[in-house]
């Protein structure tokens, strides 16, 4: 288990950066409104950052191992499909995770 | 009579925030379960929820902490993941929240949900009591759900694996919702390309490399389009 001081520092770093992002802009509203670059990034960053985060969470998936890539691909496809079909975030997350947990647990028990 | 007015405003705040509270219950439970399953002590779950108070970043942070990621990586990831909050200042009615301490709490708790619930024309006339109670109720419900989730996580037998896929699913779903803003494929394709390239460069540091490449590419494309427009 990681050292408790490290965990506390990590939490405080994330909290400080988050608070900064939320509080500092109130002190610079005029330049914020005028910046075209910020507006450009604001429109494009979220989708890309989410794609990178999803890829990051899957970085240890082994493409050559069917018990690793199989459950991931099926659960990923189901999550995307349900989200495009119903647009209900909780339903999509629940469906994808349930399928992944069942497949991965069976694979772990038999392998 | 002022006390009665404040009480009414707090009740009004609760009525506004209640649907959002109900919606985050499953996510809070999932985060608590994840904290315990990642091998962190259960009491980190409510601490994390109370101190960071930024939903999707908390899910990412659990993984980063469990992997003992460097603090610099945590800082840069937080900066990029929560960068969208910069724009919330443009419409959030902070001028209605008088007093330094209240302003500090109000900016600290300026979550996506607080922003969304105050993004109405009427909110410019809302009282401090109503705005703060919206944020504080949401904070309280979130921490409670994460704590309950940590309790739930300890009941799950070790044979059940793969619950962390909920984090992947969360980012995929948020990505699809963000895609709907512009419905343009080149940007997510660029991000995926950056992610794959980053894994090939270094699996260990792929998050920072991918985000750095992606933001740099976006800024370059912005300057190129501006220059092309000037030349034309």
């Amino acid at each position: 288990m990681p050292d408790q001081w490290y965990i506390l520092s990590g939490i405080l770093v994330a909290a400080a950066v988050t608070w900064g992002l939320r509080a500092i802009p109130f002190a610079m509203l005029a330049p914020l409104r005028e910046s075209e670059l910020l507006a450009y990034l604001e429109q494009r960053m979220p989708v890309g950052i989410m794609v990178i985060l999803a890829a990051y969470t899957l970085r240890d998936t082994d493409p050559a191992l069917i018990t690793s890539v199989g459950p991931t691909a099926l659960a990923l496809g189901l999550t995307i499909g349900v989200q495009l079909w119903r647009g209900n975030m909780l339903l999509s997350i629940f469906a994808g995770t349930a399928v992944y947990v069942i497949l991965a647990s069976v694979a772990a028990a038999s392998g | 009579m002022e006390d009665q007015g404040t009480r009414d405003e707090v009740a009004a705040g609760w009525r506004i925030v209640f649907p959002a509270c109900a919606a985050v219950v499953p996510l809070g439970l999932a985060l608590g379960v994840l904290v315990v399953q990642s091998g962190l002590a259960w009491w980190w779950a409510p601490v994390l929820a109370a101190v960071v108070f930024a939903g999707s970043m908390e899910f990412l942070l659990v993984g980063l902490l469990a992997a003992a990621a460097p603090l610099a990586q945590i800082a840069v990831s937080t900066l990029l993941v929560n960068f969208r909050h910069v724009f919330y200042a443009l419409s959030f009615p902070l001028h209605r929240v008088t007093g330094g301490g209240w302003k500090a709490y109000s900016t600290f708790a300026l979550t996506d949900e607080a922003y969304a619930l105050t993004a109405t024309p009427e909110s410019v006339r809302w009282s401090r009591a109503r705005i703060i109670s919206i944020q504080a109720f949401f904070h309280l419900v979130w921490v409670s759900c994460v704590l309950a989730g940590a309790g739930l996580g300890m009941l799950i037998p070790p044979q059940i694996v793969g619950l962390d896929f909920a984090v992947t699913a969360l980012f995929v779903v948020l990505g699809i919702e963000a895609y709907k803003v512009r419905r343009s494929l080149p940007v997510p394709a660029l991000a995926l390309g950056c992610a794959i390239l980053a894994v090939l460069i270094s699996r260990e540091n792929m998050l920072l490399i991918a985000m750095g490449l992606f933001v740099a590419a976006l800024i370059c494309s912005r300057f190129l389009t501006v220059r092309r427009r000037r030349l034309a």
Side-chain angles (χ1 to χ4, degrees), chain B residues 150-169:
Chain B
L152 206 61
M154 289 189 277
L155 301 175
I156 294 175
Q159 291 85 353
I160 301 290
V161 297
L163 278 165
D164 52 345
F165 188 83
V167 184
T168 308

Side-chain angles (χ1 to χ4, degrees), chain B residues 17 22 39 49 53 61 72 104 128-129 140 143 147 161 202 210 212 218 222 230:
Chain B
V17 78
F53 199 28
L61 186 60
R128 176 177 78 190
L140 191 69
V143 175
L147 179 61
V161 297
S202 161
L218 277 186
R222 167 69 189 159
R230 274 198 197 125

Side-chain angles (χ1 to χ4, degrees), chain A residues 19-101:
Chain A
W19 195 4
L21 285 170
R22 288 172 178 173
I24 295 167
F26 284 101
M28 37 180 280
L29 283 175
L32 200 62
R33 280 206 176 89
E34 281 158 21
S35 170
E36 283 182 27
L37 177 64
L38 280 183
Y40 180 88
L41 288 178
E42 156 68 358
Q43 281 198 345
R44 289 160 181 79
M45 259 176 68
V47 60
I49 293 293
M50 290 307 153
V51 166
I52 290 171
L53 288 175
Y56 167 75
T57 60
L58 297 175
R59 71 194 180 288
D60 290 325
T61 306
D62 186 346
L65 206 65
I66 187 69
T67 51
S68 171
V69 81
T72 305
L74 283 174
L76 211 52
L78 184 70
T79 308
I80 295 170
V82 172
Q83 182 63 19
L84 291 176
W85 175 43
R86 302 301 297 268
N88 180 336
M89 286 182 52
L90 293 175
L91 180 69
S92 316
I93 294 171
F94 182 82
T97 307
V99 164
Y100 185 84
V101 166

Side-chain angles (χ1 to χ4, degrees), chain B residues 10-79:
Chain B
V10 170
W14 171 245
R15 279 194 300 276
I16 292 165
V17 78
F18 179 75
C21 290
V24 296
V25 169
L27 280 180
L29 291 173
L31 180 65
V33 169
L34 186 72
V35 168
V36 174
Q37 295 242 317
S38 303
L40 304 182
W42 66 268
W43 46 267
W44 281 118
V47 173
L48 180 81
V51 177
V52 181
F53 199 28
S56 46
M57 184 58 217
E58 289 173 50
F59 279 90
L60 180 66
L61 186 60
V62 173
L64 291 171
L65 292 174
L71 294 180
Q73 184 168 345
I74 292 176
V76 177
S77 309
T78 311
L79 186 74

